[in-house]
């Protein structure tokens, strides 16, 4: 039997360099002093309260936000009832909370650094990347391995993603789930082994349970794969199966958080009405009559519920009776209004990093210049946002024109569908309010589509070794 064929030196050097860049970028942010993270705009309490955790601030209500800067120290403390929202992020947060509990039982301090959560998450990201890279190399797809690691170092390890790691935001779970799902899909499209299909299904399940707005996203991704052709059908079924597993779990979680879920639903519907439907409708009187809107409520058109002096139900007294289906129909049945509403997305998709404080102890301080980010390069330009949304569709068109393999076209279509679905869900879910934060994954999906041309280019730069000879 001939000895196993080793990868060419140039390939090993390139892969090592990309892995080193990814590790340095990850450690530079997660290990930075002072802490770099996305400040709490209040939302984090929905998820940390499931573990009885909140920022350690003696004399400050535990559920009060701190949007000007991230907080590094957390402690177990009594929290308001009914605020816990289950999410797949418990896969990361629950073990850390358990370790803290055990440490306290053994005499450790009762105040804990959220850096430990960031480090634990970062390890998970690296393990996924290592698995995918090794899987591509086992299939002798050097171009795929190089493209994957390049995008992992450039996009996945960008501060726009990493700033969520030392936080309790649900976006941390969504970004990790998207990485797992995309990695599993990419590997399974090369060869649908049980492990690769299982990783894709796991990522889909985690994605469906990360945030309520991503409930049906795995089903849409699976549909895109199914439409790509017979060669991608097994991968499509795995992703759909994972999404169907996550679907009832997410619904059960929302039922568990009855009070919080109801409050969030009312606010989201009101934001959609005030920031999208009313400003863009060609027949505002029709909307007002159908929903029973008072003049005081209509007066807030173009502004969110956070501009109101109190709870939205005090100004829009029928807010808890509105259904999402009716609100959406009022927009969709008015095509000119729908077209104008869709134009909100490129205007609001950026900046990729939300305008919250990012440096511990600062006051809405941005990232230091020593921590580069694509988010800073993107800025908030609507034209660039539109280009990002179109990017995966252009990659798909290019792959079709070049008669690329089904796997390449299927991956591009998946990225295109994911990016568009996330952006539209954010618009129809909460209107203009924090759309860039809610549509965070749209940019990730769009940039992931670059893996198709990068893999083709990398295959020419560092071709895979020839297959090993079979024994005579």
């Amino acid at each position: 039997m001939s000895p196993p064929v080793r990868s060419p030196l140039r390939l090993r050097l390139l892969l090592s360099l990309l892995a080193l860049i990814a590790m340095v970028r990850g450690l530079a942010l997660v290990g930075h002093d002072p802490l770099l993270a996305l400040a709490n705009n209040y939302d984090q309490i929905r998820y940390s309260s499931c573990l009885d955790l909140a920022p350690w601030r003696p004399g400050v209500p535990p559920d009060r936000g701190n949007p000007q800067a991230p907080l590094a120290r957390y402690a177990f403390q009594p929290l308001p009832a009914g605020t816990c929202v289950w999410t797949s992020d418990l896969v990361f947060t629950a073990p850390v909370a358990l370790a803290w509990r055990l440490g306290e039982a053994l005499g450790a301090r009762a105040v804990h650094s959220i850096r430990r959560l960031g480090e634990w998450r970062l390890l998970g990201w690296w393990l996924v990347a290592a698995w995918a890279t090794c899987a591509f190399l086992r299939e002798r797809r050097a171009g795929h391995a190089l493209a994957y690691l390049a995008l992992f170092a450039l996009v996945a390890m960008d501060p726009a993603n990493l700033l969520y790691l030392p936080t309790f935001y649900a976006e941390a779970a969504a970004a990790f789930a998207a990485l797992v799902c995309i990695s599993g899909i990419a590997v399974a499209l090369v060869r649908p082994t049980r492990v690769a299909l299982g990783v894709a299904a796991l990522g889909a399940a985690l994605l469906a349970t990360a945030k309520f707005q991503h409930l049906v996203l795995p089903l849409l991704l699976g549909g895109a794969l199914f439409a790509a052709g017979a060669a991608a059908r097994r991968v499509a079924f795995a992703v759909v199966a994972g999404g169907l597993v996550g679907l009832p779990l997410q619904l059960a979680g929302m039922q568990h958080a009855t009070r919080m879920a109801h409050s969030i639903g009312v606010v989201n519907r009101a934001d959609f009405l005030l920031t999208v439907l009313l400003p863009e409708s060609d027949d505002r009187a029709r909307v007002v009559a159908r929903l029973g809107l008072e003049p005081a409520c209509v007066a807030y058109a173009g502004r969110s519920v956070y501009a109101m002096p109190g709870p939205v139900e005090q100004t829009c007294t029928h807010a808890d009776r509105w259904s999402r289906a009716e609100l959406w129909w009022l927009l969709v049945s008015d095509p000119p209004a729908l077209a104008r509403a869709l134009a909100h997305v490129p205007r609001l998709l950026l900046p990729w990093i939300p305008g919250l404080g990012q440096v511990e102890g600062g006051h809405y301080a941005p990232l230091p210049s020593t921590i580069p980010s694509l988010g800073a390069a993107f800025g908030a330009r609507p034209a660039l946002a539109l280009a990002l949304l179109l990017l995966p569709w252009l990659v798909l068109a290019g792959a079709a024109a070049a008669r690329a393999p089904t796997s390449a076209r299927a991956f591009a279509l998946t990225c295109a569908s994911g990016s568009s679905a996330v952006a539209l869900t954010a618009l129809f879910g909460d209107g203009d309010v924090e759309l860039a934060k809610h549509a965070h994954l749209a940019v990730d999906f769009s940039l992931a589509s670059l893996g198709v041309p990068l893999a083709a280019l990398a295959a020419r730069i560092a071709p895979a070794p020839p297959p090993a000879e079979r024994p005579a």
Side-chain angles (χ1 to χ4, degrees):
M1 180 182 294
S2 60
V5 178
R6 298 187 64 189
S7 300
L9 177 61
R10 179 169 57 178
L11 172 60
R12 283 182 277 136
L13 288 175
L14 286 173
L15 290 172
S16 299
L17 177 61
L18 291 172
L20 179 62
I21 292 173
M23 293 183 68
V24 169
R25 294 194 78 194
L27 290 173
L29 190 139
V30 172
H32 193 276
D33 189 21
L35 173 73
L36 299 180
L38 203 62
N40 183 10
N41 68 347
Y42 169 83
D43 286 354
Q44 293 187 54
I45 197 64
R46 303 175 189 173
Y47 313 105
S48 67
S49 65
C50 300
L51 304 165
D52 296 325
L53 281 167
W56 184 72
R57 294 173 292 177
V60 179
D63 60 343
R64 179 176 295 176
N66 197 70
Q68 66 271 22
L71 299 168
R73 293 181 292 178
Y74 278 70
F76 295 102
Q77 50 194 297
L79 295 169
T83 57
C84 168
V85 176
W86 291 343
T87 168
S88 56
D89 201 35
L90 287 168
V91 171
F92 281 102
T93 57
V96 171
L98 177 60
W100 288 346
R101 288 279 194 189
L102 292 175
E104 289 186 25
L106 295 174
R109 294 184 61 207
V111 179
H112 309 278
S113 172
I114 201 171
R115 291 180 185 276
R116 305 293 85 80
L117 177 58
E119 294 160 359
W120 173 232
R121 292 191 200 275
L122 184 62
L123 176 61
W125 284 63
W126 285 349
L127 290 176
V128 173
W131 168 80
T133 304
C134 291
F136 285 132
L137 292 176
R138 279 195 302 270
E139 297 301 321
R140 302 189 181 280
R141 298 298 183 99
H144 288 61
L146 284 170
Y148 179 89
L149 262 190
L151 286 175
F152 182 79
L154 181 67
V155 180
M157 291 291 99
D158 191 275
N161 289 311
L162 297 183
L163 283 171
Y164 289 104
L165 269 56
T167 75
F168 285 95
Y169 277 118
E171 280 77 8
F176 177 75
L179 174 71
V180 175
C181 192
I182 291 174
S183 300
I185 288 172
V187 173
L189 284 172
V190 171
R191 191 160 78 91
T193 64
R194 290 181 181 179
V195 173
L197 293 173
V199 171
L202 174 63
L206 293 174
L207 191 56
T209 50
K211 296 184 69 177
F212 184 73
Q213 75 177 77
H214 298 323
L215 184 64
V216 298
L217 180 56
L219 305 184
L220 297 176
L221 299 179
L225 287 163
F226 190 86
R233 297 283 163 80
R234 289 184 66 187
V235 189
F237 287 134
V239 173
V240 170
L244 291 176
V245 169
L247 190 66
L249 294 176
Q250 179 66 280
L251 292 175
M254 295 305 293
Q255 290 299 316
H256 162 76
T258 304
R259 184 174 68 84
M260 177 61 77
H262 176 76
S263 175
I264 294 172
V266 171
V267 168
N268 289 349
R269 293 193 295 272
D271 279 335
F272 176 76
L273 168 76
L274 296 173
T275 63
V276 177
L277 180 56
L278 279 178
E280 303 303 348
S281 178
D282 280 333
D283 189 354
R284 182 176 289 191
R286 170 191 174 220
V287 176
V288 170
R290 283 283 296 271
L291 300 178
L293 303 181
E294 306 90 335
C297 181
V298 177
Y300 281 92
R303 294 181 287 174
S304 76
V305 299
Y306 302 108
M308 295 178 177
V312 61
E313 296 91 339
Q314 292 181 3
T315 304
C316 305
T317 57
H318 301 301
D320 60 347
R321 304 178 193 171
W322 303 334
S323 71
R324 291 185 185 275
E326 185 173 27
L327 292 171
W328 293 344
W329 171 249
L330 287 170
L331 181 66
V332 173
S333 60
D334 185 353
L338 176 61
R340 290 191 294 270
L342 294 178
H344 288 216
V345 175
R347 176 167 56 85
L348 300 170
L349 185 65
L350 297 176
W352 197 17
I353 299 177
L356 297 166
Q358 297 153 38
V359 183
E360 179 189 7
H363 186 76
Y364 293 98
L367 285 172
S369 58
T370 53
I371 306 292
S373 170
L374 288 173
F378 291 160
R381 296 188 287 269
L384 182 55
L386 180 60
L388 285 170
L389 291 172
L390 293 176
L391 174 63
W393 296 103
L394 295 175
V395 170
L396 175 62
R403 296 185 178 181
T406 299
S407 59
R409 289 182 277 115
F411 186 76
L413 180 58
T414 302
C415 293
S417 301
S419 178
S420 298
V422 169
L424 290 176
T425 301
L427 179 69
F428 279 80
D430 201 15
D432 287 3
V433 177
E434 293 189 323
L435 188 142
K437 180 170 175 285
H438 297 158
H440 166 257
L441 289 186
V443 179
D444 281 305
F445 273 112
S446 291
L447 294 176
S449 69
L450 291 174
V452 173
L454 282 177
L457 178 62
R460 297 184 178 184
I461 296 174
E469 294 182 5
R470 296 175 179 241

